[in-house]
Amino acid sequence: MGIWGRRKSFLFIFFYINFSFFVPWPLEACHPVDKAALLDFKQKVTSDPSNLLQTWTLTTDCCKTWEGIACDPNGRVVNVSRPGLASGDDFIIDTSISGTLSPSLANLSFLELLDLSNLKDLTGPIPPEF
């Protein structure tokens, strides 16, 4: 490798190290507005015997670890799927959640799919924003 090759390698490493400290890499993929909306929904749930929302915690990333949540590449929630019936190859499980439907779900401005089907004990009006 000639002097120009070494100089290019040095410059690349120099810029990579220096700028990697200044580029604000997100600690979480989940957008804070979306996370707050989902946690408010969970707070309005009075009973979750099927543990459908067990993975939804304040200290975890909703895009990476929350079951039933899918996000776009920008960390915006696009899919919330916690249906009341779950099926496998040879079984169907009737799951349940009790509580009220939180109007904060309307804050999920990038939501494309909301599946809360067959959750018979979830009450409340559908937010007019939907």
Side-chain angles (χ1 to χ4, degrees), residues 41 100-107 114 116 123-130:
F41 168 74
T100 57
L101 187 60
S102 172
S104 69
L105 289 177
N107 293 334
L114 175 63
L116 302 174
T123 61
I126 296 173
E129 294 82 3
F130 283 144

Side-chain angles (χ1 to χ4, degrees), residues 26-114:
L27 297 176
E28 284 194 354
C30 185
H31 194 279
V33 170
D34 295 353
K35 186 173 188 175
L38 293 169
L39 287 172
D40 187 66
F41 168 74
K42 182 180 179 181
Q43 184 179 18
K44 304 256 186 301
V45 169
T46 56
S47 177
D48 183 14
S50 304
N51 293 319
L52 291 176
L53 308 179
Q54 181 178 9
T55 60
W56 295 22
T57 65
L58 183 62
T59 59
T60 57
D61 188 319
C62 71
C63 291
K64 295 179 182 175
T65 61
W66 291 15
E67 291 180 19
I69 301 298
C71 298
D72 68 12
N74 296 315
R76 301 310 303 254
V77 172
V78 294
N79 182 338
V80 177
S81 182
R82 297 283 70 199
L85 294 175
S87 62
D89 291 336
D90 58 351
F91 64 89
I92 294 178
I93 299 172
D94 191 11
T95 59
S96 67
I97 288 179
S98 299
T100 57
L101 187 60
S102 172
S104 69
L105 289 177
N107 293 334
L108 300 173
S109 55
F110 289 81
L111 190 65
E112 297 171 5
L113 174 72
L114 175 63

